[in-house]
């Protein structure tokens, strides 16, 4: 299972590569085109509608949104291609088609059940006698994916599709059909079996997911009633649900409905934590922002601005020396995205599946951050997420008297130190394969394919492995060629590998063989699979 999680972590790195720049564009663009922010700071002439910067920032925001709004599809394609051992292109295409088919099937069945965009709106549910909160909970189950009306299953849907398609690709990429259907044999069979299988999954989801989604929403209601303890569980659960994008089942209820509190501002009754904050921001008579309203998002500033960047530094410091240059650029961009915009997916997915224990600790630390900042009466608002941009706009520039932001700065360094040393110690003690360590597969360090292949004769490598007929599966990580053979006794001895085939070492266990080739491992894998 751990091996499979590591492979899944490697597959996640493919789509993750595009997230840092998309996150920065989205965070910067969204923050500086927010109408209330522009009006509050008197920047209408510079950033208001119709200005050159407004157009530029709007384009940036939309480009970033295009990536994050389609993360489920991106992960479906990336995971399928990443986990497929053969015919990766066919797997990726099959995943894209299957993802669309799954949500189309869900949409059709929702229609059979009487659910349409009109009958799932908040106004419709309220017209049926539900309260504003209950109507929002019901409506929040449904949404759109690629323009298709469906249920909000989020990234989890993409992961499900990606994993299913990769399994089917590995099993059926060489499937032989009867002569009358021979055209559909082999790789052409992959999209067929994928679509049929995922369509069946799509037919089941509408009967299960609404109950799961509503269960999560209902369970979350106790958070606001239990003070600091509730905030701890809120912060931790939000971080755990964020893995699959399921945090969307919770936070809107606190940001935009009476569940997040009610407060009279400038003579109007405002409901929802973020709504209250922005109403107070617009009210010149506001002396202090309500910490009761902001408690559902302020807690994220410590881990996003200080904790995760420190964790990235820890992962860089424990990476193998030969890999640090390559892994440094990945971790730096992910850390910068978290610090600048508060978008954490790029850095979290670098260790989520290769070292899930670290993610669990991260969730606990985030829960503590929510609890502590709530107890200390900190009230810093957010537009999109909790990076330095929002902290500056809605903390620093508002003044400590209004926000009590000073505690975020005071606790920032201790938070960074805790993340740094906890991550560093656990990675070393547990030998966790974070980027750049040992067999970690997340960072590719080579570019000179032709030059490297001159060092080793691929045909001789196959011969040393017992010949083509002895090979069952050929894979590789960043340093090792990983092969499953039918008969391990046919594999050449260590001397052949180290003296004749220029390997650094060879390890055998059961029917598994690992040959250490450094940067050449991945290239050898591809060349061997071509010959097979």
């Amino acid at each position: 299972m751990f091996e499979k999680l590591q492979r899944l972590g490697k597959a996640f790195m493919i789509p993750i590569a595009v997230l840092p720049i998309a996150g920065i564009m989205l965070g910067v663009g969204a923050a500086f085109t927010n109408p209330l922010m522009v009006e509050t700071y008197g920047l209408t002439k510079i950033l208001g509608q119709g200005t050159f910067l407004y157009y530029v920032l709007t384009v940036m925001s939309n480009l970033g949104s295009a990536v994050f709004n389609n993360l489920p599809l991106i992960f479906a394609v990336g995971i399928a291609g990443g986990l497929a051992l053969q015919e990766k292109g066919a797997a990726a295409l099959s995943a894209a088609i299957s993802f669309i088919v799954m949500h189309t099937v869900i949409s059709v069945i929702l229609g059979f059940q009487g659910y349409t965009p009109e009958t799932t709106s908040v106004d419709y549910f309220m017209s049926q006698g539900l309260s504003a909160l209950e109507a929002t909970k019901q409506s929040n189950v449904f949404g759109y994916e690629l323009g298709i009306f469906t249920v909000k299953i989020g990234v989890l849907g993409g992961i499900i599709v990606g994993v299913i398609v990769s399994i089917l690709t590995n099993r059926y990429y060489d499937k032989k059909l009867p002569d009358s259907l021979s055209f559909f044999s082999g790789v052409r069979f992959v999209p067929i079996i994928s679509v049929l299988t995922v369509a069946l999954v799509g037919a089941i989801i509408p009967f299960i997911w609404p109950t799961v989604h509503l269960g999560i929403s209902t369970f979350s209601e106790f958070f606001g009633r239990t003070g600091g303890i509730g905030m701890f569980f809120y912060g931790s659960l939000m971080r755990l649900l964020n893995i699959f994008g399921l945090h969307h089942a919770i936070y809107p209820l606190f940001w935009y409905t009476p569940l997040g509190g009610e407060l009279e501002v400038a003579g109007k009754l405002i409901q929802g934590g973020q709504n209250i904050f922005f109403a107070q921001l617009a009210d010149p008579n506001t002396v202090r922002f309500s910490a009761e309203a902001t408690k559902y998002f302020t807690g994220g500033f410590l881990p996003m601005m200080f904790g995760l960047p420190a964790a990235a530094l820890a992962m860089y410091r424990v990476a193998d020396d030969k890999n640090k240059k390559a892994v440094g650029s990945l971790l730096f961009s992910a850390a910068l995205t978290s610090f600048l915009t508060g978008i954490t997916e790029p850095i979290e997915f670098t260790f989520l599946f290769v070292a899930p224990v670290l993610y669990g600790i991260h969730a606990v630390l985030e829960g503590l951050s929510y609890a502590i900042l709530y107890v200390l009466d900190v009230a810093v608002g957010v537009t999109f997420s909790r990076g330095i941009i929002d902290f500056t706009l809605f903390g620093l520039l508002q003044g400590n008297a209004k926000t009590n932001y000073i505690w975020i700065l005071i606790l920032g360094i201790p938070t960074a130190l805790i993340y740094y040393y906890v991550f560093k110690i656990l990675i070393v003690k547990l030998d966790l394969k974070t980027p750049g360590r040992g067999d970690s597969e997340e960072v590719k360090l080579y570019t000179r394919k032709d030059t490297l292949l001159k060092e080793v004769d691929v045909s001789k490598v196959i011969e040393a492995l017992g010949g083509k007929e002895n090979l069952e599966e050929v894979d590789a990580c960043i340093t090792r060629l990983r092969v499953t053979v039918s008969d391990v006794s046919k594999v050449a001895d260590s001397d052949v590998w180290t003296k004749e085939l220029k390997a650094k070492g060879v390890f055998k266990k059961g029917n598994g063989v690992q040959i250490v080739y450094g940067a050449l491992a991945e290239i050898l894998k591809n060349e061997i699979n071509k010959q097979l």
Side-chain angles (χ1 to χ4, degrees):
M1 178 59 68
F2 186 72
E3 180 81 14
K4 293 182 185 301
L5 284 175
Q6 283 196 313
R7 289 184 60 200
L8 185 60
K10 173 189 175 183
F12 264 79
M13 294 309 299
I14 299 171
I16 285 171
V18 303
L19 294 188
I21 185 62
I24 291 173
M25 293 177 75
L26 175 57
V28 173
F32 289 102
T33 56
N34 182 282
L36 186 56
M37 189 282 293
V38 173
E39 184 178 344
T40 299
Y41 294 106
L43 300 174
T44 305
K45 293 183 179 180
I46 301 175
L47 299 175
Q49 290 190 26
T51 63
F52 175 74
L53 284 179
Y54 175 82
Y55 291 130
V56 172
L57 291 167
T58 300
V59 170
M60 288 176 57
S61 177
N62 288 335
L63 287 176
S65 294
V67 174
F68 282 92
N69 290 343
N70 293 292
L71 273 185
L73 174 62
I74 292 171
F75 276 114
V77 173
I79 290 172
L83 292 181
L85 301 176
Q86 304 287 341
E87 303 295 347
K88 292 179 178 291
L93 177 61
S94 299
I97 297 170
S98 298
F99 183 83
I100 296 171
V101 167
M102 181 181 76
H103 282 289
T104 300
V105 171
I106 292 173
S107 183
V108 171
I109 292 180
L110 289 178
F112 292 158
Q113 295 176 315
Y115 295 119
T116 66
E118 292 74 26
T119 61
T120 56
S121 67
V122 173
D123 289 340
Y124 176 82
F125 284 123
M126 290 182 67
S127 72
Q128 301 301 303
L130 295 183
S131 66
L133 174 59
E134 290 299 322
T136 302
K137 287 169 59 177
Q138 292 284 346
S139 180
N140 200 35
V141 173
F142 308 94
Y144 288 88
E145 200 71 67
L146 300 178
I148 303 169
F149 178 70
T150 182
V151 294
K152 287 184 179 178
I153 194 170
V155 173
L156 179 60
I159 294 174
I160 291 172
V161 171
V163 171
I164 290 175
V165 171
S166 68
I167 293 173
L168 295 173
T169 302
N170 292 335
R171 183 168 182 178
Y172 293 111
Y173 75 93
D174 59 351
K175 176 71 174 179
K176 293 183 180 179
L177 297 176
D179 291 343
S180 59
L181 299 173
S182 59
F183 176 79
F184 300 104
S185 295
V187 69
R188 296 185 183 91
F189 186 67
V190 172
I192 297 173
I193 189 65
S194 297
V195 165
L196 293 175
T197 304
V198 172
L200 180 61
V201 173
I204 297 172
I205 288 175
F207 298 98
I208 298 175
W209 189 249
T211 302
V212 174
H213 196 287
L214 287 171
I216 295 172
S217 299
T218 302
F219 173 73
S220 68
E221 290 184 28
F222 91 98
F223 293 134
R225 307 190 187 112
T226 50
I229 294 176
M231 285 299 96
F232 167 77
F233 286 108
Y234 172 84
S236 296
L237 183 62
M238 286 286 288
R239 186 49 50 197
L240 292 173
L241 292 176
N242 189 63
I243 297 172
F244 304 115
L246 303 185
H247 58 304
H248 294 292
I250 293 181
Y251 84 81
L253 301 177
F254 294 98
W255 287 25
Y256 308 119
T257 77
L259 189 60
E262 295 181 333
L263 188 68
E264 185 174 313
V265 182
K268 296 181 180 180
L269 182 65
I270 308 298
Q271 299 175 331
Q274 193 183 56
N275 290 338
I276 292 173
F277 175 81
F278 280 114
Q280 290 186 312
L281 183 67
D283 182 8
N285 297 317
T286 298
V287 177
R288 181 167 180 80
F289 293 111
S290 169
E292 281 294 325
T294 64
K295 65 182 180 181
Y296 300 108
F297 37 80
T298 297
F301 281 104
L302 287 176
M304 292 176 183
M305 287 175 53
F306 300 97
L308 287 174
L313 177 61
M315 288 188 281
Y316 170 77
R317 293 293 300 273
V318 299
D320 296 342
D321 289 340
K322 62 183 179 181
N323 299 336
K324 281 187 176 179
K325 184 177 180 181
V327 80
S329 61
L330 168 71
L331 293 174
F332 174 77
S333 62
L336 179 63
T337 303
S338 180
F339 176 76
L340 190 64
T341 69
I343 294 173
T344 59
E345 284 87 350
I347 188 169
E348 288 172 335
F349 282 118
T350 60
F351 64 85
L352 170 58
F353 289 102
V354 295
V357 64
L358 296 179
Y359 197 89
I361 291 171
H362 168 43
V364 171
L365 292 175
E366 179 145 341
L368 288 172
S369 172
Y370 271 84
I372 292 171
L373 292 184
Y374 169 67
V375 171
L376 293 174
D377 203 32
V378 180
V380 179
V382 302
T383 50
F384 175 73
S385 195
R386 282 132 289 194
I388 189 64
I389 295 175
D390 275 1
F391 178 71
T392 301
L393 294 174
F394 306 116
L396 289 175
L397 294 181
Q398 295 302 316
N400 192 61
K402 280 188 174 182
T403 62
N404 212 15
Y405 73 77
I406 193 66
W407 281 109
I408 294 177
L409 298 179
I410 292 173
L411 296 174
I413 299 303
T415 298
L417 291 174
I418 290 171
Y419 267 84
Y420 176 81
Y421 284 107
V422 168
F423 270 61
K424 183 177 181 181
I425 291 170
L426 287 179
I427 291 170
V428 174
K429 292 291 185 183
L430 302 179
D431 193 25
L432 301 175
K433 303 305 181 184
T434 49
R437 277 181 55 80
D439 295 339
S440 178
E441 303 175 327
E442 282 78 0
V443 184
K444 295 183 178 180
L445 305 176
Y446 50 84
T447 56
R448 299 174 294 109
K449 173 182 175 181
D450 295 334
T451 301
L452 288 171
L453 277 177
K454 290 179 181 178
E455 300 176 9
V456 180
D457 188 328
V458 177
S459 61
K460 289 184 178 180
V461 171
I462 295 175
E463 182 182 343
L465 288 168
K468 294 182 179 179
E469 67 282 353
N470 196 42
L471 303 181
E472 293 187 0
E473 182 179 318
V474 180
D475 202 353
C477 65
I478 194 170
T479 58
R480 300 187 185 195
L481 185 66
R482 295 171 175 265
V483 184
T484 302
V485 298
S486 299
D487 186 354
V488 75
S489 66
K490 294 182 179 180
V491 178
D493 294 333
S494 179
D495 287 347
V496 174
W497 290 105
T498 56
K499 294 180 180 179
E500 298 180 21
L501 298 175
K502 299 184 180 181
K504 304 292 190 300
V506 60
F507 306 93
K508 302 176 184 178
K509 186 175 181 181
N511 287 342
V513 182
Q514 297 183 19
I515 307 103
V516 182
Y517 266 116
L520 185 57
E522 179 85 8
I523 297 174
L524 278 175
K525 179 204 76 172
N526 293 333
E527 294 301 313
I528 292 172
N529 281 326
K530 284 181 183 178
Q531 295 195 26
L532 294 181

